[in-house]
């Protein structure tokens, strides 16, 4: 595999997000869920944005959902992604109801549609980092 030269995640709170990234390495998708109000939460936080409880836990989710919204990126903000343009930056709503900012891959960019059924794919880009993207359900 060619050396990965694009920017990697730089979590502001590595301890808080560690379960998410460790699960990604195992090719599992986990999200925080509030033990008090049962809402799913993404991105990871220290406090539930719905009821302010700090009793949050990571739980495995289906990894399946639908495109909620998307845009086609023709001119990436970072030149490191220029070779991939045009590509899809999307908000995917998981079956559990929580929304994730991600990329849609495995489909021509002009064929992506709202409500397209998608599933998580795991890209092991370095030994330390696995990135989560989504592709159409086959
Ligand atoms: Zn809550």
């Amino acid at each position: 595999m060619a050396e990965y030269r694009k920017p990697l995640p730089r979590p502001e709170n590595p301890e808080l997000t560690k379960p998410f990234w460790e699960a990604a390495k195992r090719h599992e998708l986990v999200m925080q869920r509030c033990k008090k109000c049962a809402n799913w939460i993404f991105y990871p936080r220290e406090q539930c944005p719905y009821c302010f409880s700090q009793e949050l836990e990571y739980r495995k989710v289906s990894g399946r959902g639908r495109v909620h919204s998307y845009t086609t990126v023709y001119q990436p903000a970072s030149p490191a992604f220029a070779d991939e343009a045009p590509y899809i930056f999307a908000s995917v709503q998981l079956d559990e109801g929580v929304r994730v900012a991600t990329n849609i891959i495995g489909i021509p960019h002009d064929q992506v549609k709202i409500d397209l059924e998608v599933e998580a794919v795991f890209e092991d880009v370095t030994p330390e980092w696995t990135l989560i993207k989504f592709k159409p359900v086959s």
Side-chain angles (χ1 to χ4, degrees):
M1 186 164 61
E3 186 184 353
Y4 189 81
R5 293 177 177 277
K6 287 172 266 187
L8 290 164
R10 287 173 293 174
E12 286 181 20
N13 188 336
E15 278 309 305
L16 177 68
T17 60
K18 193 173 179 180
F20 176 84
W21 294 112
E22 291 290 318
K25 275 196 209 180
R26 299 191 305 268
H27 290 195
E28 289 180 9
L29 184 57
V30 299
M31 296 278 156
Q32 282 181 314
R33 191 172 194 212
C34 178
K35 288 180 168 179
K36 278 246 165 79
C37 73
N39 275 299
W40 292 95
I41 298 158
F42 189 81
Y43 52 90
R45 290 168 230 216
E46 292 179 335
Q47 194 170 39
C48 175
Y50 302 99
C51 76
F52 307 114
S53 167
Q54 294 185 344
E55 290 181 48
L56 308 181
E57 61 180 351
Y58 281 94
R59 294 175 77 167
K60 191 174 173 183
V61 291
S62 64
R64 293 181 67 127
R66 291 172 180 272
V67 173
H68 169 73
S69 181
Y70 70 95
T71 188
T72 306
V73 179
Y74 291 93
Q75 296 182 327
S78 166
F81 294 95
D83 289 348
E84 290 179 21
Y87 61 86
I88 301 294
F89 180 68
S91 168
V92 164
Q93 183 160 339
L94 297 182
D95 289 351
E96 289 80 3
V98 65
R99 291 181 191 152
V100 187
T102 187
N103 295 122
I104 307 297
I105 61 171
I107 181 173
H109 70 89
D110 57 356
Q111 291 179 27
V112 174
K113 290 182 170 58
I114 302 294
D115 272 345
L116 177 72
E117 280 188 76
V118 292
E119 62 189 358
V121 285
F122 301 87
E123 291 189 353
D124 301 313
V125 295
T126 74
E128 292 79 27
W129 291 103
T130 297
L131 303 181
I132 299 167
K133 300 179 179 178
F134 283 79
K135 69 174 175 76
V137 172
S138 45

